[in-house]
Amino acid sequence: MGETRHLMRPAPLALLAVLLAAGSAAAAPCTYFVRAGFAPSGIPDGRTPATAFGRIADGMQAIGNPGDVVCVGPGTYVEGDLGPAANIDGFPGFPIEIRGDATGATTGDPPGPVRIIPPSGLPAEQTPGAAFRILGHTDLTIEGFEISGFRDAGIQARSATVGGANSGRITIRNNDVQGCRTGIDVYGEDMIVIENNRTVANTSSGISLQSCQQANTFGTCRGVASGPIVPIVSNNRSGGNGAHGLFLRGGENAIVQNNVLFSNAFTGITVRGVSDAMVANNLVYRNGQEGLAVGSGFSGSGDAGDAAMLASPNAIIMNNTFFNNGQWGVEIGNLFAASPGAAVVHNIVWRNGSGRLGIGVLNERSQAGIRERSVCNYVAGYNDVLDDYGPDTPRNVFDLRVDPLFVDPAGADGVIGGEVVDGQFVDRSDDDDFHLRQEGGVISPLVDAGSTTAAATGLTGSTARSGAADGGRVDLGFHYGASTDQVLSYEPPYMPLFVRNGGRDTYDGRIPTKPFATITTAARRARAGVTVVVGPGIYRECDISAPPDSGRASFVADPAGDLTGGTPRVTLVDPGRCYYDPTTDRYSPGQTGFNMASVCGVVIDGFHITGASDDGIQLQNESDGAILRNNVLFGNAKRAINVNNSDDVRIVNNLAFGNKGGIQIGSGSRSAAQCDRSGARRAVIEFNTLYKNDFDGVLIGAGTCPSTDAAVRYNVTGENGYGIEVGSNTTRTQNLVGYKTGYNLVADRYAAGVPRGPGDLLISLQSEPLYLDPTAVVVGSDWRRDRHFRLAQLAAGQSRQSRAVDFSDVTAEKAGMAHLSTRSDGQPDTGLVDRGYHYPMGEGVLPGDCNGDGVVTVNEIVLAVNIALGNLPLSQCPMASSDGQQVSIADLIQVVSSGLQE
C-alpha cells in the first residue's frame, strides 16, 4: 500500500494529558480558602472557610509547598498581578492550584461567578496590568475565573524578573477572559495546557502561547534560552479578538483540538515554528485573515523576526471546518521558510477568501536556502473543498466538491460569529450551527465520507444535531462535543489509482475494475499522497515520472494480483520496448524505467525493471526522502538504481542482476560550485543483493560533490567489478565522512581504501556457497516461487549454509524483514536477520520447480523421478529434494502435487 505512517502524540504527552484530565475529575482538597471581602472573627489564616482570606493575593502569598490548593469562592475581586511568591513552585504531579469555585461548595457561599477586575482610580503605574501574572513559575494550575478589563493579559506567564527562569508546565482551564489586551498570554517552555476557556473581545489575541527560545528586551523572556513549548489547546472558544484566535510560536508536538475560533481580526489559528503539530477537530470561521496559517499568516508591525523560525513541518490537519474566513481557509508555508510534510484530511473548506482561497501550499523552490519546500511530502485527500486551491497546491481526485449541507451557520439571529455594536464586539455565536444535516430524509454527503473510521482516528463527538456519536467511517469536518482527553491518531489515507493489463486510460482508475492501462497515465495523477497500484503483467513503458513538486507519490507493484486481480506473475516494466515505429515495425528502448525529479518522499516498491538504455530507476533534483524497495532490476544498460542530488534516500531489499552497474549515489554532472546543494547525503542502503553487474555493486559518491553519511549494511555482493566502492581516488576521503558500514557479505572485492566495518565478510564463491542458482531472473511466472537467489541454508534442506544466513546484529523482526524470505522453502526469515535480498511471501516455492518459473511441468516431474532412481545427479534439479541430499518417495509425491496445481 506504499509507505504507511502512524502518528500519535508521544506517549509521555498522552500520559500527561490523561493525568491532567484525571486531576480535573478528582480535584485535590483545598489548602487555603478565599472569600470575597471576607472578614473573619478570628485570625485570617485561610485554613478554613471560617478563617478565609478576603483577597486572592493573600491566599497566593500563603502558598508554601508543592500541591497547595487555593480555593476561591464566588464574588468580585478587585485586584490583579496575582502570583505565588518568587521562590514557590509546584512539582510534577503536585502542581500549585488556584481554583475559582463558582458553586461555592468549598467555601460555603451561594453559587455565582468568581470575577476578577482591576481597581479603578489608581495611577497607571499602580494599576495591575493582568489578573494573574506568573513570573518564572512551574507546575501551576489556574481555573474557574471570570476576568475582564485588564490593560494587559487576563492571565499572563513570563520569565522571572530575577534570574530569568522560564515558566512551564502550566495548566489554564475553565476561565472566561474578555475585554483585556490578550486573553491568555504565555511565554514559557515545556507543556502548556489550555482547555475549556472562553476568550472573547480582547483587543489583541484570544490565546497566545510562545516559547522563550530567544531572550528579548521586552521582559517576556529574560533569561537563558528555553526549550520549546509543548502545547495542548483543547475545547476553547476564542472569538471577536483584535488579533489571532489562537497564536502558537516556538513549539513542538502541539495538540490543537476541539476549539471554536470565530470572528477574530487576524487568523483563527496561527502555528509558527511549531514542528509536528496536530490541528484536529476545530471549527474556524469568519476570521479576518486565514482560518489556519501554518508557518505563515498575518504579521504585525515589527513581527518579522527570523523567517526561518516560522517553519512548521509535519503538521497534521484533520477533521476541521474552515468557513467564511477572509483569506485562505488553510495556508501552509511562506516565501522564506517552508513547512514540508503536512497532511490535510477530512476537512471542510468553504467560502474562504470569497470562495477563491481554499487550501494554499507554497512551492518555495525559487527562494535561496530552502531545500524542502512546503509541497515536499504533502498529503491531502478526503477533504470537501469548494473554494479554489493555490497555484502551487498539489491536489488529487480524492477531494470532494459538494455542498456540506450545514444545518444553519448563521443561526436564528442571522449573524455568523458576532458583530460590533457601538464599538463593542457582541458574541452571537451560540446559535451558529455547523452540524451536518442527518434528519428528515436529508443526509449530508459528508457523512461517512472519510478514509477511515471514527474509532481508528480516536475522534469523539458528533456531526449530528441529535448528538449521536459518529460511527462507521468518519464524517468530515468538525465534531461537536468531543472530549478533551481523546487520544487522536493519524494514518495517511489510502488513495489508490489502479493499473492493469487490459485497462483503459480513459477510465478514472479509482477501482480495480476500471483501471488505467498504463502506469504513465496514472503517474500523471500521482499527487498529494496518491498510490499507483500496478497489477501483474508486462508494461512496455519508460521514463515514468510523477509531477515534480506535487507532494508524496507512491508506486506499488501488485504481482500477486491481490489488489488488482489477475494471475500472479511479475509486474514488469520493460523500457527496452517502449517506443514502437510502425514504419519499421521495430521497438526502441527508453532511457529509464522510473525517472523521478523533485518528487520528495516517492516510494517505488516491488517492480521488475529491465531493458533501459540508461538506468532502471533514476532519482534526481532533490527527490529527498525517497524509498526504493523490493525491486528486481536486471539487464539495464547502465545502473540498476542511480540517485543524484537527493538526500535521505532509503534503498532497501532490491536485487540488481546483470546491469552495467548496481546501486550508485552521487552528484551526477553537478560542478564543484554547486556542491552546497549537490550530492546524496545520508543514504541508507540495506538488504540489497548486487550480482553480476559489470562495474560496482554499490558506488557511493559518483561525481564531483561529496555524498556523506551513507550507511551500507546487510547487503550481499557477488561477481561485480567491485562489490563496494566509495568515491574515486580523488574524492574518496570526502565521501567517507560519516560513512557507516557493517554486516555486508562481499563475494567479489572491495575497492581500494574502502573500510570494512563490524560483521563485514569477504568470501570466495569458489569455496563457499551463497545462492542456490544466481544465473537468471525469470519473469514468466509467480516471483514468490523463484529459487535462484535463495540463500543456501541447512534449515531449508541444503547440505551447506551460506554465511549470509543469521549472521547480523539485529533480528529479522526488528529489521522489518520477518515477513519476507531467503529460504528455498519460502518460510519467513526468523532469528537474526539474513543478509541480502529477501523474496516476498505468499504461495511459496514449488517442490520440483527446477527452473524457478513457478510451474512444475511433466518434464520436470520425469526429471525428479530419474534423480530418485539415480539416473541423474541432484544438481539437475535441486528443487526436487527437501534435504538437499536425495529425492525420496515423499519428495516425489510433493513434486507430482506441485504439477497438479497448474
Side-chain angles (χ1 to χ4, degrees):
M1 300 295 181
E3 182 69 8
T4 300
R5 180 168 62 106
H6 294 272
L7 185 142
M8 293 178 61
R9 294 304 97 200
L13 294 189
L15 176 59
L16 279 169
V18 171
L19 291 174
L20 289 164
S24 64
C30 304
T31 311
Y32 298 100
F33 298 85
V34 179
R35 303 171 70 182
F38 186 70
S41 57
I43 298 174
D45 62 4
R47 289 292 187 174
T48 67
T51 60
F53 296 120
R55 300 189 314 151
I56 302 172
D58 295 330
M60 296 192 71
Q61 289 302 304
I63 295 170
N65 297 293
D68 281 354
V69 178
V70 178
C71 292
V72 183
T76 299
Y77 296 84
V78 184
E79 51 185 315
D81 289 343
L82 302 166
N87 61 340
I88 300 299
D89 285 314
F91 188 79
F94 299 92
I96 293 169
E97 295 186 49
I98 304 95
R99 186 189 306 155
D101 178 12
T103 70
T106 56
T107 58
D109 294 306
V114 185
R115 294 193 179 98
I116 305 177
I117 60 173
S120 60
L122 296 176
E125 65 273 11
Q126 296 178 22
T127 302
F132 291 95
R133 195 183 299 274
I134 308 303
L135 302 176
H137 292 282
T138 60
D139 298 284
L140 180 140
T141 298
I142 299 171
E143 67 172 305
F145 295 92
E146 289 188 9
I147 299 168
S148 62
F150 286 89
R151 59 184 168 83
D152 206 335
I155 301 173
Q156 184 182 86
R158 297 282 190 266
S159 299
T161 54
V162 178
N166 294 304
S167 295
R169 298 191 299 277
I170 293 173
T171 297
I172 300 172
R173 66 162 68 98
N174 300 329
N175 301 285
D176 189 319
V177 185
Q178 56 185 315
C180 299
R181 182 178 182 275
T182 304
I184 296 170
D185 187 13
V186 175
Y187 278 82
E189 61 182 327
D190 215 328
M191 180 170 283
I192 308 293
V193 177
I194 311 293
E195 64 183 23
N196 287 313
N197 300 284
R198 179 176 180 268
T199 57
V200 173
N202 299 285
T203 58
S204 185
S205 295
I207 301 170
S208 177
L209 310 179
Q210 305 185 55
S211 75
C212 275
Q213 290 175 305
Q214 288 186 325
N216 58 47
T217 60
F218 306 113
T220 54
C221 299
R222 301 178 178 88
V224 297
S226 74
I229 56 169
V230 183
I232 299 177
V233 184
S234 183
N235 296 70
N236 303 281
R237 295 182 70 87
S238 184
N241 299 291
H244 309 277
L246 169 62
F247 183 86
L248 301 180
R249 191 208 298 257
E252 63 184 16
N253 294 313
I255 299 174
V256 179
Q257 64 170 2
N258 311 338
N259 302 286
V260 178
L261 305 116
F262 61 96
S263 300
N264 297 287
F266 293 176
T267 68
I269 304 171
T270 285
V271 177
R272 295 182 181 171
V274 180
S275 61
D276 301 293
M278 176 177 276
V279 180
N281 198 49
N282 300 281
L283 174 57
V284 188
Y285 67 105
R286 208 179 186 187
N287 297 284
Q289 300 290 331
E290 294 84 358
L292 169 64
V294 177
S296 183
F298 183 87
S299 296
S301 176
D303 194 33
D306 182 356
M309 295 185 68
L310 302 179
S312 301
N314 305 319
I316 294 172
I317 302 162
M318 72 177 191
N319 279 100
N320 304 282
T321 293
F322 301 102
F323 180 81
N324 199 26
N325 296 288
Q327 298 294 326
W328 291 102
V330 178
E331 184 180 32
I332 300 173
N334 70 78
L335 291 176
F336 307 104
S339 295
V344 182
V345 297
H346 302 156
N347 302 282
I348 302 173
V349 185
W350 191 21
R351 294 185 180 173
N352 300 282
S354 301
R356 298 176 297 104
L357 306 174
I359 300 176
V361 183
L362 286 183
N363 176 12
E364 299 91 348
R365 173 173 290 281
S366 62
Q367 182 63 32
I370 292 180
R371 183 179 180 100
E372 282 192 277
R373 286 78 61 202
S374 294
V375 294
C376 273
N377 273 302
Y378 175 75
V379 173
Y382 294 91
N383 303 288
D384 185 26
V385 185
L386 290 90
D387 305 327
D388 293 339
Y389 296 84
D392 295 329
T393 303
R395 58 190 184 275
N396 59 50
V397 296
F398 289 86
D399 276 349
L400 306 174
R401 189 182 178 87
V402 296
D403 187 336
L405 298 182
F406 293 130
V407 170
D408 189 1
D413 62 10
V415 177
I416 300 176
E419 60 184 340
V420 176
V421 178
D422 296 329
Q424 299 294 318
F425 178 79
V426 180
D427 186 355
R428 307 285 195 199
S429 66
D430 284 347
D431 64 350
D432 299 344
D433 195 340
F434 289 88
H435 289 99
L436 303 178
R437 294 184 191 174
Q438 300 177 54
E439 55 191 22
V442 178
I443 304 295
S444 165
L446 306 188
V447 172
D448 294 336
S451 65
T452 185
T453 64
T457 67
L459 181 61
T460 59
S462 175
T463 63
R465 199 170 190 180
S466 67
D470 186 0
R473 299 193 80 79
V474 67
D475 303 341
L476 303 194
F478 177 69
H479 288 51
Y480 285 82
S483 170
T484 57
D485 57 356
Q486 66 186 6
V487 178
L488 296 170
S489 65
Y490 163 77
E491 183 174 332
Y494 178 49
M495 298 181 286
L497 294 177
F498 297 97
V499 180
R500 280 183 58 186
N501 287 165
R504 296 181 183 178
D505 284 344
T506 55
Y507 288 157
D508 66 9
R510 291 283 298 271
I511 57 176
T513 55
K514 295 287 186 180
F516 294 120
T518 64
I519 306 170
T520 300
T521 298
R524 287 196 292 267
R525 296 160 173 79
R527 304 168 182 263
V530 158
T531 297
V532 176
V533 183
V534 186
I538 299 175
Y539 299 86
R540 304 193 194 287
E541 302 183 55
C542 57
D543 304 321
I544 300 165
S545 62
D549 299 322
S550 292
R552 182 175 300 170
S554 299
F555 295 82
V556 178
D558 177 34
D562 294 335
L563 303 174
T564 54
T567 302
R569 54 178 177 152
V570 301
T571 301
L572 177 67
V573 176
D574 183 6
R577 292 169 59 84
C578 186
Y579 300 111
Y580 174 68
D581 186 341
T583 303
T584 62
D585 193 29
R586 292 182 178 177
Y587 288 93
S588 60
Q591 285 190 310
T592 64
F594 289 90
N595 189 346
M596 299 292 164
S598 304
V599 187
C600 299
V602 66
V603 176
I604 301 175
D605 184 342
F607 292 88
H608 279 57
I609 303 172
T610 189
S613 66
D614 201 322
D615 305 318
I617 298 176
Q618 188 175 102
L619 298 181
Q620 55 185 318
N621 294 350
E622 301 175 6
S623 291
D624 297 344
I627 300 174
L628 311 178
R629 64 186 176 205
N630 306 325
N631 301 291
V632 178
L633 306 107
F634 62 103
N636 296 290
K638 292 190 178 178
R639 279 95 13 183
I641 295 173
N642 188 13
V643 176
N644 289 322
N645 308 310
S646 298
D647 292 344
D648 302 297
V649 174
R650 294 183 59 85
I651 305 172
V652 181
N653 198 49
N654 301 280
L655 169 61
F657 172 80
N659 306 282
K660 201 70 171 178
I663 296 171
Q664 174 178 299
I665 69 170
S667 59
S669 60
R670 297 277 179 91
S671 67
Q674 299 172 295
C675 283
D676 59 330
R677 296 176 67 89
S678 302
R681 293 169 282 268
R682 297 177 299 278
V684 175
I685 302 172
E686 294 181 331
F687 298 105
N688 302 283
T689 289
L690 302 316
Y691 216 84
K692 288 190 176 178
N693 300 290
D694 291 348
F695 296 140
D696 300 307
V698 177
L699 172 58
I700 306 295
T704 301
C705 305
S707 295
T708 59
D709 300 291
V712 181
R713 299 179 292 234
Y714 313 114
N715 303 286
V716 171
T717 72
E719 299 191 33
N720 305 285
Y722 285 112
I724 301 175
E725 183 171 8
V726 180
S728 63
N729 290 334
T730 58
T731 66
R732 183 167 295 114
T733 299
Q734 61 183 2
N735 282 289
L736 284 172
V737 173
Y739 176 74
K740 296 174 285 293
T741 180
Y743 293 92
N744 300 290
L745 191 151
V746 177
D748 30 37
R749 54 180 176 156
Y750 287 90
V754 177
R756 291 169 60 180
D760 280 345
L761 293 175
L762 184 63
I763 71 167
S764 170
L765 292 174
Q766 303 301 314
S767 57
E768 292 198 44
L770 185 55
Y771 292 114
L772 296 187
D773 182 20
T775 59
V777 172
V778 179
V779 298
S781 60
D782 188 344
W783 181 247
R784 295 171 298 179
R785 296 177 175 178
D786 182 83
R787 287 184 56 128
H788 289 81
F789 288 89
R790 306 279 180 169
L791 291 172
Q793 46 195 301
L794 299 174
Q798 283 80 55
S799 60
R800 300 178 66 190
Q801 179 155 297
S802 165
R803 282 201 281 172
V805 176
D806 290 340
F807 188 1
S808 58
D809 62 345
V810 66
T811 64
E813 183 175 9
K814 189 172 181 180
M817 308 298 283
H819 64 296
L820 302 171
S821 176
T822 63
R823 294 169 50 139
S824 62
D825 57 8
Q827 294 301 303
D829 191 356
T830 59
L832 291 175
V833 69
D834 301 338
R835 308 182 194 200
Y837 175 75
H838 288 53
Y839 281 81
M841 296 287 292
E843 296 296 323
V845 180
L846 287 175
D849 182 11
C850 304
N851 60 6
D853 65 356
V855 178
V856 176
T857 64
V858 172
N859 287 339
E860 287 172 318
I861 294 174
V862 172
L863 187 59
V865 171
N866 276 290
I867 294 171
L869 294 173
N871 298 330
L872 292 172
L874 182 60
S875 60
Q876 292 289 304
C877 186
M879 289 304 298
S881 171
S882 60
D883 63 3
Q885 312 252 341
Q886 62 180 352
V887 176
S888 65
I889 296 297
D891 289 334
L892 288 176
I893 293 172
Q894 288 293 321
V895 170
V896 172
S897 177
S898 297
L900 294 175
Q901 291 181 28
E902 302 302 324

